[in-house]
Amino acid sequence: MKATRLSAAGLAVALLGALIAGTPARAADTDATTTPSTTCTTDPATPKRQFRAMWIASVTNIDWPSKASWTAPDQVAKQKAEYLGWLDLAQQLNHNAVVVQVRPTADAFWPSPVEPWSEYLTGVRGQDPGWDPLAFLVEESHKRNLEFHAWFNPYRVSMPAPGGAGADLSKLAPNSPARQHPDWVFAYPPAGVAGSRLYYNPGIPEVREFVQTAMMDAVNRYDIDGVHFDDYFYPYPSGTYQYPDDATFAQYNRGFTNQADWRRDNINLLIQEMNAKIKAVKPWVKFGVSPFGIWRNKSADPNGSDTTGSQSYDIISADTRKWIKEEWIDYVVPQLYWYIGQYPAADYARLVPWWAEQVRGTKVQLYIGQADYKSGDPAYGSFWMNPDELSNHLTLNRSYPEVLGNVHFSAVQVKANRLDATDRYAADHYSRPALVPAMAQLPAKPLLFPVITGADRQADGVHLTWRQPADGNGPFGTATSYAVYRFDGTGKAEACAFADASHLVATVRGTGGAVQSWVDADAAAGQSYTYYVTALDRVWNEGPASPARVVR
């Protein structure tokens, strides 16, 4: 009975606020600040919804943690400070998510019951770092209202020697399952060949079940927002060496007579089963894959792209187009690491429309993987010496409404800002905050509008406080975060004023308390403002706007 009384009381407060301050804009599906019949003219440079993230890679300590942290006087403090620095950068660039590698080589950035601690935390394979990095990563990301996508590599077990274990099982952590089940792994290219490393064999059913179990441990125990795979499934080909899986095919072919089709089906099963397992325990957790940028060339398949480059369908057994059409994933981030121009092998301007066509009519969202690592590096050619190349990519994306965001590889390259390219694309495309695109296939309940209870000008800015009526009670959803809109002057904002991010000044993570707060440190002295607040649920569905609150 107590929950019912709270719900009714909260609703009464909300309705009273509406009567006093005027009727707020009404809800429409995932954006409650415009109506279905409203046609609004928006600024393409300030989209209201756009996924913005960078990959934070841990393998070989590319981005985080640094190798220098291994020998720091306080290793844990150093690694925490480094990660907070990456979050600072994400906020500075108005990103709304991070994609962090937490299982780079069949190891773990959390106390896994089935896999060893990652060597990239301490420099020693299997060594306990003395803390729970994943718990910290998730908590700190959420404090800044950044989605946390946990990036897993399903089958890679080691990196090449001398830095990695190479093909030598004895160099893995003592408790590595690969050492306990040597029949689960193969070396590719063969041991003794430069670049050789170990992989779990995707064709063994027990292996597929095991890697899913290892990854699902993190899904079950941590408050992550997404599960993310990159482009590593079967190994990329090395010379003319063949995968050593003929015996596996003979034993586990499931009736397939074509070995290439069987390999693709092994990866299809991984994707399909992983999605089902995620949704069974946490239906709100997104599942996404970032594949190599070419599925198949048109010359090989009429459904393919107008390209002549390597084909992920053939070389790594990744049928990414099928995953989209079957809706086994929630989002796809093709790595379109090529320039705009006359490049027949893989022209960015040809691939973006191809990927847009693949997701059209499905529930799968399309974000584009951007090659920040190439920008300003003469080794990649003259096109990448153009400081506007990356910004031009994002401008081209605007022509395709299916493109709902970008992920940048990788954090250290974003920070390097060679040719001021990061500054340029951020100014051109990320000048305002943005909400993460909502996904209609994920569970949601309606949200009531917040009630602003205080708006006070103080020395450090305008202090806003608000309450969320009936939060999580009865038929209503729970507000995970809030969007704050600010308008100059004291006039009422029309519905279309909320259609882009021109007036969106912040998104704020909710706290456990009844009263939420935020300080507008950018509010100019002597300027009158009108504020509105909306509630956002776990998957960024937006409720109706609060009654206005004026600060003179």
Side-chain angles (χ1 to χ4, degrees):
M1 293 300 294
K2 183 177 181 181
T4 303
R5 291 198 298 271
L6 284 172
S7 178
L11 182 58
V13 171
L15 294 175
L16 179 60
L19 291 171
I20 294 172
T23 304
R26 296 294 296 168
D29 298 327
T30 57
D31 282 323
T33 46
T34 56
T35 60
S37 59
T38 302
T39 300
C40 303
T41 301
T42 59
D43 183 351
T46 58
K48 180 169 181 173
R49 291 186 180 272
Q50 185 177 59
F51 189 84
R52 302 171 183 168
M54 55 188 173
W55 280 288
I56 300 177
S58 62
V59 68
T60 68
N61 301 92
I62 291 174
D63 296 310
W64 181 87
S66 71
K67 288 185 179 179
S69 70
W70 297 347
T71 56
D74 189 334
Q75 183 184 90
V76 175
K78 172 68 172 172
Q79 293 183 353
K80 287 182 175 181
E82 287 178 353
Y83 186 71
L84 294 180
W86 292 124
L87 297 187
D88 289 343
L89 179 61
Q91 285 192 297
Q92 174 190 328
L93 296 172
N94 281 324
H95 287 188
N96 46 34
V98 289
V99 183
V100 185
Q101 193 173 31
V102 297
R103 185 182 179 270
T105 48
D107 49 13
F109 273 61
W110 72 97
S112 167
V114 295
E115 292 192 306
W117 282 104
S118 176
E119 66 184 283
Y120 304 115
L121 288 165
T122 64
V124 179
R125 296 179 192 111
Q127 181 170 299
D128 188 339
W131 63 302
D132 186 341
L134 183 53
F136 175 82
L137 302 178
V138 173
E139 181 181 3
E140 293 299 324
S141 301
H142 284 170
K143 284 180 182 177
R144 303 176 190 228
N145 209 30
L146 295 165
E147 277 199 338
F148 186 90
H149 290 241
W151 170 11
F152 304 91
N153 291 84
Y155 292 123
R156 185 172 61 201
V157 175
S158 67
M159 294 297 288
D168 191 344
L169 279 166
S170 69
K171 291 184 178 179
L172 299 176
N175 62 332
S176 170
R179 293 184 67 168
Q180 299 159 14
H181 301 276
D183 54 313
W184 282 5
V185 303
F186 61 68
Y188 188 86
V193 175
S196 180
R197 66 191 82 181
L198 296 170
Y199 295 87
Y200 280 125
N201 187 339
I204 299 175
E206 293 89 345
V207 165
R208 190 173 73 249
E209 177 67 25
F210 170 75
V211 299
Q212 291 172 354
T213 298
M215 295 183 288
M216 284 302 299
D217 180 62
V219 176
N220 280 298
R221 293 169 54 196
Y222 295 88
D223 193 24
I224 65 175
D225 301 289
V227 169
H228 184 93
F229 291 174
D230 59 20
D231 54 317
Y232 285 91
F233 296 102
Y234 274 86
Y236 280 90
S238 178
T240 59
Y241 296 110
Q242 301 299 306
Y243 302 139
D245 64 351
D246 287 350
T248 311
F249 177 57
Q251 184 174 0
Y252 300 111
N253 59 62
R254 298 188 302 280
F256 281 91
T257 57
N258 181 288
Q259 197 165 359
D261 290 341
W262 167 74
R263 288 179 183 139
R264 274 186 290 275
D265 193 60
N266 291 333
I267 306 303
N268 289 345
L269 289 171
L270 170 74
I271 299 297
Q272 183 181 18
E273 292 169 0
M274 191 68 190
N275 181 57
K277 289 182 178 183
I278 293 166
K279 296 301 189 288
V281 297
K282 292 185 177 179
W284 60 90
V285 172
K286 304 168 185 178
F287 181 35
V289 178
S290 178
F292 182 73
I294 299 174
W295 171 69
R296 297 199 89 187
N297 299 315
K298 187 187 297 184
S299 60
D301 190 309
N303 291 317
S305 52
D306 186 12
T307 50
T308 61
S310 298
Q311 306 170 110
S312 63
Y313 178 93
D314 299 288
I315 65 170
I316 55 173
S317 306
D319 191 355
T320 49
R321 184 175 182 271
K322 182 178 182 65
W323 308 343
I324 292 170
K325 298 305 183 182
E326 296 289 344
E327 297 181 340
W328 292 338
I329 54 178
D330 295 304
Y331 68 87
V332 64
V333 193
Q335 297 172 21
L336 302 191
Y337 293 169
W338 302 285
Y339 55 79
I340 298 172
Q342 298 303 312
Y343 183 48
D347 186 341
Y348 185 91
R350 296 180 183 181
L351 281 161
V352 169
W354 185 87
W355 283 99
E357 181 181 354
Q358 305 318 304
V359 302
R360 192 173 299 136
T362 75
K363 296 175 183 177
V364 179
Q365 293 189 350
L366 172 62
Y367 318 138
I368 304 298
Q370 300 292 344
D372 288 51
Y373 71 97
K374 289 186 174 181
S375 180
D377 187 339
Y380 294 107
S382 61
F383 282 87
W384 290 103
M385 298 308 292
N386 175 5
D388 289 317
E389 179 67 25
L390 286 172
S391 186
N392 291 343
H393 287 199
L394 274 59
T395 299
L396 186 149
N397 291 355
R398 294 179 187 173
S399 299
Y400 301 93
E402 293 83 6
V403 180
L404 296 177
N406 299 277
V407 185
H408 298 267
F409 190 82
S410 65
V412 70
Q413 307 295 340
V414 173
K415 184 179 180 180
N417 192 27
R418 287 186 298 274
L419 306 178
D420 295 326
T422 301
D423 288 346
R424 288 180 183 235
Y425 71 66
D428 293 343
H429 303 278
Y430 300 164
S431 64
R432 308 292 300 176
L435 309 185
V436 172
M439 293 182 173
Q441 69 268 32
L442 302 184
K445 292 181 179 181
L447 296 164
L448 290 177
F449 52 82
V451 176
I452 301 176
T453 55
D456 305 307
R457 191 183 292 276
Q458 299 182 26
D460 58 345
V462 173
H463 287 238
L464 292 181
T465 56
W466 63 88
R467 291 176 177 267
Q468 179 62 23
D471 192 25
N473 291 317
F476 299 108
T478 299
T480 297
S481 61
Y482 300 87
V484 181
Y485 298 85
R486 184 186 68 200
F487 297 84
D488 293 342
T490 60
K492 178 184 176 182
E494 299 299 325
C496 282
F498 297 90
D500 63 21
S502 298
H503 300 283
L504 178 65
V505 290
T507 69
V508 184
R509 195 75 174 187
T511 66
V515 178
Q516 308 297 320
S517 64
W518 177 71
V519 177
D520 184 1
D522 295 326
Q527 170 70 51
S528 294
Y529 295 111
T530 301
Y531 290 92
Y532 297 84
V533 178
T534 63
L536 301 162
D537 69 11
R538 179 62 187 264
V539 289
W540 297 80
N541 295 304
E542 185 178 37
S546 69
R549 190 64 178 255
V550 175
V551 176
R552 300 181 185 276

